[in-house]
Amino acid sequence: MMKFRFRRQGADPQREKLKQELFAFHKTVEHGFPNQPSALAFDPELRIMAIGTRSGAVKIYGAPGVEFTGLHRDAATVTQMHFLPGQGRLLTLLDDSSLHLWEVVHHNGCAHLEEALHHQPPSRPGFDGASGLPSLARITVVLLVAAGDLAALGTEGGSVFFLDVPTLTLLEGQTLGPDEVLRSVPDDYRCGKALGPVESLQGHLRDPTKILIGYSRGLLVIWNRAARCADRIFLGNQQLESVCWERSGRTLVSSHSDGSYAVWATDAGDSPTTQPTVATTPYGPFPCKAISKILWRNCASGEHFIVFSGGMPRASYGDRHCVSVLQAETLVTLDFTSRVIDFFTVHSTRPEDEFDEPQALAVLLEEELVVLDLQTPGWPAVPAPYLAPLHSSAITCSAHVANVPAKLWARIVSAGEQQNPQPASGASSWPITGGRNLAQEPAQRGLLLTGHEDGTVRFWDASGVALRPLYKLSTAGLFQTDCEHADSLAQAAEDDWPPFRKVGCFDPYSDDPRLGVQKVALCKYTAQMVVAGTAGQVLVLELSDEPSDQAVGVASVDLLQDREGFTWKGHERLSPRTGPLPWPAGFQPRALVQCLPPAAVTAVTLHAEWGLVAFGTSHGFGLFDYLRRSPVLARCTLHPNDSLAMEGPLSRVKSLKKSLRQSFRRIRKSRVSGKKRLTAASSKLQEANAQLAEQAGPHDVEVTPVQRRIEPRSADDSLSGVVRCLYFADTFLRDAAHHGPTMWAGTNSGSVFAYALEVPAAVANSDRRPERAVEAVLGKEVQLMHRAPVVAVAVLDGRGRPLPEPYEASRDLAQAPDMQGGHAVLIASEEQFKVFTLPKVSAKTKFKLTAHEGCRVRKVALATFASVACEDYAETCLACLTNLGDVHVFSVPGLRPQVHYACIRKEDISGIASCVFTRHGQGFYLISPSEFERFSLSARNITEPLCSLDISWPRDAMRARPQESPKLSQANGTPGVVLGPQSRSGSPDPTRSEGTDTPELPEATLSPTSVDSATSADTTLDTTGDVTVEDVKDFLGSSEESEKNLRNLSEDEARACPILIG
């Protein structure tokens, strides 16, 4: 069924050019710690490190800002990685035994990572009949010899193959089989038993012709490749796990499956050697777990380092993840909270140096990277400038603050430094410093705030490529929990042996789930913030440069307003501590507001200029004057049938069943009513279409599909009273002649409440408590026709621009809003955007996103887009993320579609829920529990790696390379992204800002106010209870419907859409 619309012929080429200068979509960088790491490598010459993952991703890190990312075409686990020293090339081994050679290639001064070659060896005889080469069993270990030109491949069958690395081809005639080794072994050792797989290959630092081969059975062989014979043989009888060759070559150390290690002398006695010089079980005498890897590093002082992983007593500490560091009589057992993947030491590798002299130990764990300074007494941990685990406690919400003032930035950094004081010697420094960051210093600073399950809020420097931790705020100290008692019991039960030392910050366990942070809001001009939690707690905090002891005032707000018939069945409220409490320098609580019932806070907003904070839950919303420490307003939004809101988060199974039942009832009802209206409606529509067809010519119309019919939602839907957004604005609400403070609240049932506020003048000018209280009077109440949940509310001034943030206009930090023309309010629901005039609240224009696109709104933000062609031109637009993972941009206030991009996979429900937009057209979303993907919608404001690497290749290694990087998927599987840190033109663009923020433009100064959904994002990770019925419907939609949902309006179609008033 089609209908006709008249439109202007053709698109505006001037506007199309302008859109290209304003909008462009790029996925730029992945912040955080790689998800599911599986391999580690370090280049001591270039001082760069590589991490491989189970999904096949390869990430190379150097100095802060130096990052390279690649992805294998096959999503296989990276099991081993090896750098070709000083060449910027990396050899990777996957679990399917395929080998891949990666190169850091420079184009126009900038470097990016490319896969140059790959080799899949035949796994069985006869698979590669053309070559005639012997087949390889599964490759167990790789060793680079002869400066990286040659690689030795140890296999599960006990053979050692040799590979020409520049061409990735096997060398014929050099294969070393187990039978050839067994000829040099005494008969009594053979006993008819196989040597087993090759467990370890080690090269001699000064003699590249010698290779140390360790077999699983325990046999160690020093093989001379030039003479093709065994120089020395060591007859070990314990199952081998790892071998390390001491720098001088005179000592070997081997680790075994029974938790022991043995030291062998290579220049003493006759060959074969049957007994080691030293054999010990560090954590014996009881049975111990295997020592999976061991390193020996010598020092000029004679006190050598022995570093090994595992070896813990099996019965008592078999579940611990440990790395032990032994030097002389000092033994430290590093106790981690996640599995050890691999580790390396940063030490001298120059052949002319006699000693290793290790400087640092880097340990890659499954959830974090820990670096220890081995040159400072006590071996302290080195703070990481990047790769910090975002998920040290599960992320529950996030927010972004742009253009942070320099004074506030310095105070936050100072508070963070006091939390983690560094040793006075200053020797601790990050050892991975390779490459050069070519990106310009960001003109403005951007903060990323993450709320966590354990009640902490972490502050991150999101100004550049490296996401650097700045400060951690903990709210748990304000409440009484059982964690102190549990910690004391754990410490009392801990023995002095082994000498455990807790290392790392990954702690996924929360002492009390009620501490979880749900919403965060920060005022960057007054250094005040609001943190709201799972048990209805709302904290107002203020930044202080000095520690203090003070009591926190507590106020309760009953959101039910004594309504009868409702009984809270969820968790209890948190009990606050009484009396003065010690608070370190940083954000210190000033007031605590407890919502009753203690349901999770779903929306919060702060207006520091008025001294007000608004908060909402599933029961209603409240307004609190934190200067007077007194509640101003409490409004219940519950429907009489909304009993589900009283059951708490533990009754989500009933919620899902009830919601599905109601959904099916609505579908059945719509089908029945649709059949009744079908005959009459179709005949009338055919007559109308026939008349239009006769009047209009074929070139004057365009044919578009009929809008989807959206059934109105029932007023008694479950959780209809949930408050979705809150907003403060100075606008016209009572009449067109007088403006004043207002508060707006939107709910899940499509209701919008607007309150006129009477704020005493003293609040805006001082921090003293005014004598007169703040008053709130209901001014307007809007009910959307389809009762779709209200996602965001924003007021536009007389020029159609969003109002500035608190203090921006009064302190001349932004142009004052236009108070002469008529204001308007933009209400964004899950199904449409609508602009109403103020104060009459009459519909002005709207865009039905669900009717046109078949999708629903999940996140909304007002952002400023600066032009790349003209520095003084910028536009304010509405950015929207849908449940299909698409990002749409609309003009404001006309609501005309500008561009749309596929950003997130629609199956990635957690990623969509975690998305947060910035004020200048960028965004973040979680691609894993530990990684944020950063993307940009702006053609000018892009934050991406721009770096170079000083590499030197052998002359015979130079060859022709492809002209451009292959377009592969990123580590999270999102397609269509060029894997390379180069700019779009191949060189750093001086007109592009590399920070999250750009200097304020004339247009931008009025418009960067982000809406509630833009500054605070809910995240549902690792919890199935927070998945809504709508999310399940999105995932289970038919393929035919998905095809329709993915169809987007072109510019011509957008111009043809009529503006609907009413």
Side-chain angles (χ1 to χ4, degrees):
M1 189 182 301
M2 313 295 286
K3 69 178 180 180
F4 299 89
R5 289 176 181 163
F6 295 94
R7 66 174 174 87
R8 186 178 59 186
Q9 189 71 16
D12 184 3
Q14 188 71 21
R15 182 60 191 172
E16 292 297 323
K17 179 182 178 182
L18 187 58
K19 287 198 295 187
Q20 294 179 2
E21 297 171 352
L22 292 173
F23 311 110
F25 179 75
H26 307 292
K27 289 185 178 180
T28 55
V29 66
E30 295 171 1
H31 295 300
F33 184 77
N35 187 41
Q36 296 182 326
S38 57
L40 178 68
F42 179 68
D43 188 338
E45 294 187 21
L46 296 180
R47 310 281 282 199
I48 56 177
M49 174 184 67
I51 295 178
T53 70
R54 295 184 194 174
S55 61
V58 177
K59 300 190 175 186
I60 298 179
Y61 302 93
V66 178
E67 294 185 14
F68 307 97
T69 303
L71 183 66
H72 291 89
R73 288 178 172 82
D74 298 326
T77 300
V78 181
T79 57
Q80 293 187 44
M81 310 174 75
H82 300 273
F83 274 108
L84 280 64
Q87 300 182 27
R89 296 196 287 178
L90 181 71
L91 183 65
T92 61
L93 172 68
L94 305 186
D95 60 355
D96 60 357
S97 290
S98 63
L99 293 163
H100 303 258
L101 184 63
W102 296 82
E103 297 178 350
V104 176
V105 181
H106 287 74
H107 285 307
N108 299 326
C110 288
H112 65 277
L113 187 63
E114 290 183 359
E115 182 180 353
L117 295 171
H118 68 276
H119 173 69
Q120 180 69 57
S123 58
R124 293 178 183 175
F127 272 43
D128 193 9
S131 64
L133 292 174
S135 63
L136 272 69
R138 188 177 68 88
I139 299 176
T140 57
V141 63
V142 177
L143 170 67
L144 292 178
V145 294
D149 291 337
L150 190 69
L153 310 177
T155 66
E156 201 169 32
S159 299
V160 179
F161 295 82
F162 291 92
L163 183 80
D164 181 60
V165 174
T167 59
L168 285 191
T169 56
L170 290 174
L171 299 178
E172 300 183 39
Q174 296 193 23
T175 302
L176 173 62
D179 296 337
E180 192 172 355
V181 175
L182 283 173
R183 297 193 192 105
S184 305
V185 177
D187 294 338
D188 57 347
Y189 187 82
R190 301 179 193 175
C191 299
K193 296 181 180 179
L195 296 179
V198 178
E199 291 291 342
S200 180
L201 292 173
Q202 296 289 320
H204 196 288
L205 184 62
R206 296 185 175 90
D207 190 355
T209 62
K210 294 183 179 180
I211 296 178
L212 173 62
I213 308 173
Y215 293 92
S216 177
R217 183 178 167 185
L219 178 68
L220 302 177
V221 178
I222 298 180
W223 185 261
N224 191 320
R225 287 194 307 112
R228 292 194 62 82
C229 66
D231 284 356
R232 291 196 65 87
I233 295 178
F234 306 89
L235 304 179
N237 293 314
Q238 190 58 245
Q239 181 177 338
L240 185 70
E241 294 288 332
S242 174
V243 178
C244 181
W245 206 341
E246 186 260 341
R247 185 183 188 91
S248 65
R250 294 190 292 269
T251 304
L252 307 177
V253 58
S254 60
S255 65
H256 303 276
S257 60
D258 62 346
S260 66
Y261 70 84
V263 180
W264 308 78
T266 61
D267 54 358
D270 298 329
S271 181
T273 303
T274 58
Q275 295 297 326
T277 306
V278 177
T280 180
T281 304
Y283 298 107
F286 298 105
C288 297
K289 299 192 72 174
I291 295 179
S292 56
K293 181 177 180 178
I294 191 166
L295 297 178
W296 176 297
R297 299 290 181 253
N298 57 13
C299 302
S301 62
E303 298 180 344
H304 309 309
F305 280 91
I306 297 179
V307 185
F308 59 90
S309 59
M312 302 307 297
R314 187 177 296 274
S316 52
Y317 301 109
D319 58 344
R320 298 289 185 98
H321 310 289
C322 297
V323 172
S324 302
V325 183
L326 174 64
Q327 185 185 30
E329 301 299 324
T330 303
L331 173 64
V332 174
T333 307
L334 306 175
D335 188 11
F336 302 102
T337 55
S338 58
R339 187 169 59 93
V340 177
I341 303 298
D342 201 355
F343 59 91
F344 63 85
T345 59
V346 179
H347 61 277
S348 173
T349 56
R350 293 179 298 181
E352 59 269 19
D353 291 341
E354 186 177 354
F355 301 100
D356 294 312
E357 298 294 347
Q359 306 165 14
L361 170 66
V363 183
L364 176 65
L365 307 165
E366 197 167 33
E367 305 294 350
E368 61 183 323
L369 177 74
V370 176
V371 177
L372 299 180
D373 181 9
L374 298 181
Q375 293 183 323
T376 301
W379 303 332
V382 181
Y386 51 84
L387 282 179
L390 300 172
H391 63 317
S392 52
S393 176
I395 297 177
T396 51
C397 69
S398 57
H400 185 269
V401 183
N403 297 343
V404 179
K407 184 177 180 181
L408 174 61
W409 187 272
R411 295 177 66 190
I412 293 176
V413 171
S414 175
E417 291 174 348
Q418 294 182 50
Q419 286 182 333
N420 301 298
Q422 296 302 311
S425 61
S428 298
S429 59
W430 187 249
I432 305 164
T433 58
R436 288 179 291 118
N437 183 13
L438 304 179
Q440 299 177 358
E441 189 70 18
Q444 300 289 341
R445 297 291 183 180
L447 272 179
L448 182 64
L449 311 181
T450 55
H452 297 265
E453 193 178 40
D454 61 354
T456 60
V457 178
R458 286 171 167 82
F459 291 64
W460 307 88
D461 178 5
S463 308
V465 171
L467 193 66
R468 182 168 62 98
L470 298 178
Y471 168 72
K472 182 177 76 171
L473 164 67
S474 178
T475 62
L478 184 59
F479 303 99
Q480 296 177 5
T481 59
D482 297 331
C483 60
E484 295 88 356
H485 180 63
D487 290 343
S488 61
L489 290 178
Q491 292 175 1
E494 198 78 70
D495 296 331
D496 293 335
W497 182 263
F500 286 117
R501 172 183 162 192
K502 288 285 186 182
V503 184
C505 61
F506 177 73
D507 184 13
Y509 306 106
S510 174
D511 299 318
D512 194 326
R514 296 175 296 174
L515 292 170
V517 177
Q518 296 296 324
K519 294 291 177 181
V520 177
L522 172 66
C523 176
K524 60 188 178 184
Y525 300 112
T526 59
Q528 295 175 342
M529 72 178 302
V530 177
V531 178
T534 304
Q537 70 272 25
V538 180
L539 277 74
V540 181
L541 305 102
E542 188 172 3
L543 183 60
S544 175
D545 298 329
E546 300 294 335
S548 65
D549 293 326
Q550 60 180 2
V552 180
V554 181
S556 298
V557 177
D558 184 10
L559 298 179
L560 290 182
Q561 294 293 289
D562 300 325
R563 184 175 294 193
E564 297 180 357
F566 291 97
T567 303
W568 173 248
K569 304 175 185 178
H571 49 245
E572 297 294 328
R573 57 182 288 183
L574 285 166
S575 300
R577 299 179 186 271
T578 58
L581 300 174
W583 300 104
F587 282 93
Q588 300 174 355
R590 294 290 182 259
L592 169 63
V593 185
Q594 179 63 54
C595 300
L596 298 176
V601 178
T602 56
V604 74
T605 187
L606 170 70
H607 201 295
E609 196 168 1
W610 300 339
L612 298 175
V613 57
F615 47 88
T617 69
S618 56
H619 307 124
F621 56 89
L623 182 64
F624 185 77
D625 180 358
Y626 61 84
L627 295 181
R628 288 177 51 91
R629 308 291 198 274
S630 63
V632 178
L633 168 69
R635 171 69 183 258
C636 182
T637 56
L638 283 179
H639 189 272
N641 297 332
D642 198 1
S643 60
L644 187 63
M646 307 304 295
E647 297 180 0
L650 301 180
S651 303
R652 296 301 176 88
V653 176
K654 297 180 181 178
S655 167
L656 186 61
K657 291 181 179 178
K658 184 175 180 181
S659 300
L660 286 173
R661 190 182 304 116
Q662 292 176 348
S663 299
F664 283 120
R665 286 175 180 172
R666 285 199 302 268
I667 294 173
R668 193 179 301 116
K669 180 180 177 182
S670 64
R671 287 177 177 173
V672 173
S673 60
K675 291 179 180 179
K676 294 179 180 179
R677 299 190 302 263
L678 182 61
T679 306
S682 60
S683 60
K684 293 181 180 179
L685 189 60
Q686 289 176 1
E687 293 177 4
N689 286 340
Q691 293 177 1
L692 286 174
E694 293 176 359
Q695 297 174 3
H699 48 273
D700 294 329
V701 299
E702 76 169 340
V703 181
T704 59
V706 176
Q707 294 182 4
R708 293 168 177 82
R709 181 166 53 87
I710 308 299
E711 289 293 332
R713 308 189 185 201
S714 174
D716 60 350
D717 273 357
S718 299
L719 300 177
S720 62
V722 175
V723 178
R724 295 290 296 269
C725 63
L726 292 163
Y727 178 70
F728 284 117
D730 184 358
T731 186
F732 301 90
L733 188 61
R734 293 176 175 173
D735 54 61
H738 304 89
H739 63 86
T742 62
M743 185 193 75
W744 301 72
T747 71
N748 226 28
S749 60
S751 299
V752 178
F753 304 93
Y755 282 83
L757 307 178
E758 290 290 340
V759 182
V763 175
N765 300 325
S766 68
D767 292 336
R768 292 182 292 105
R769 300 181 183 179
E771 297 180 359
R772 192 161 60 91
V774 178
E775 298 179 0
V777 179
L778 181 62
K780 305 289 182 183
E781 184 173 346
V782 179
Q783 178 63 59
L784 300 182
M785 182 182 302
H786 293 297
R787 298 184 179 274
V790 178
V791 179
V793 176
V795 173
L796 309 175
D797 68 1
R799 291 187 292 266
R801 299 171 181 174
L803 301 181
E805 288 188 355
Y807 283 110
E808 282 190 335
S810 60
R811 297 185 179 183
D812 294 329
L813 300 171
Q815 185 178 351
D818 182 9
M819 293 296 184
Q820 303 300 322
H823 283 199
V825 58
L826 168 64
I827 299 177
S829 72
E830 283 192 358
E831 296 178 356
Q832 66 179 3
F833 309 119
K834 203 165 187 177
V835 175
F836 297 88
T837 61
L838 289 177
K840 293 183 179 181
V841 193
S842 59
K844 184 179 180 181
T845 182
K846 64 182 175 182
F847 184 84
K848 298 180 179 180
L849 186 68
T850 302
H852 287 298
E853 306 294 339
C855 54
R856 286 183 291 275
V857 177
R858 286 291 179 258
K859 302 291 177 180
V860 166
L862 288 167
T864 300
F865 294 89
S867 171
V868 289
C870 179
E871 295 185 1
D872 297 331
Y873 184 78
E875 288 187 8
T876 299
C877 296
L878 181 70
C880 156
L881 175 69
T882 71
N883 63 325
L884 300 180
D886 298 334
V887 176
H888 298 253
V889 179
F890 299 88
S891 64
V892 174
L895 297 182
R896 291 186 176 274
Q898 302 299 306
V899 290
H900 63 267
Y901 308 102
C903 181
I904 310 175
R905 293 178 295 110
K906 68 174 183 178
E907 296 85 2
D908 188 3
I909 299 175
S910 297
I912 295 174
S914 64
C915 182
V916 55
F917 290 102
T918 74
R919 293 171 49 178
H920 296 283
Q922 295 195 39
F924 302 84
Y925 69 93
L926 287 172
I927 56 176
S928 72
S930 59
E931 288 177 291
F932 270 112
E933 175 77 72
R934 188 177 194 139
F935 64 90
S936 175
L937 304 173
S938 171
R940 177 175 175 182
N941 186 27
I942 302 175
T943 302
E944 62 180 357
L946 294 174
C947 48
S948 66
L949 199 62
D950 297 328
I951 58 179
S952 59
W953 284 4
R955 291 183 179 180
D956 56 354
M958 302 300 292
R959 57 180 180 80
R961 299 179 189 86
Q963 292 299 317
E964 62 179 28
S965 175
K967 295 185 179 181
L968 300 175
S969 297
Q970 290 187 329
N972 65 322
T974 49
V977 181
V978 178
L979 292 179
Q982 79 277 14
S983 64
R984 300 300 171 266
S985 61
S987 60
D989 190 349
T991 64
R992 175 184 300 163
S993 172
E994 300 304 329
T996 57
D997 312 310
T998 56
E1000 295 290 346
L1001 301 175
E1003 171 78 9
T1005 54
L1006 293 177
S1007 55
T1009 304
S1010 53
V1011 199
D1012 177 77
S1013 294
T1015 58
S1016 185
D1018 290 331
T1019 306
T1020 54
L1021 284 178
D1022 304 326
T1023 54
T1024 57
D1026 290 337
V1027 178
T1028 62
V1029 182
E1030 286 77 7
D1031 295 328
V1032 177
K1033 292 179 192 174
D1034 300 339
F1035 186 77
L1036 297 179
S1038 64
S1039 58
E1040 180 180 357
E1041 183 178 355
S1042 300
E1043 292 290 336
K1044 296 179 180 179
N1045 289 344
L1046 291 174
R1047 182 171 59 245
N1048 292 305
L1049 290 176
S1050 64
E1051 177 64 19
D1052 291 346
E1053 292 171 340
R1055 293 184 179 277
C1057 293
I1059 297 177
L1060 303 179
I1061 308 295

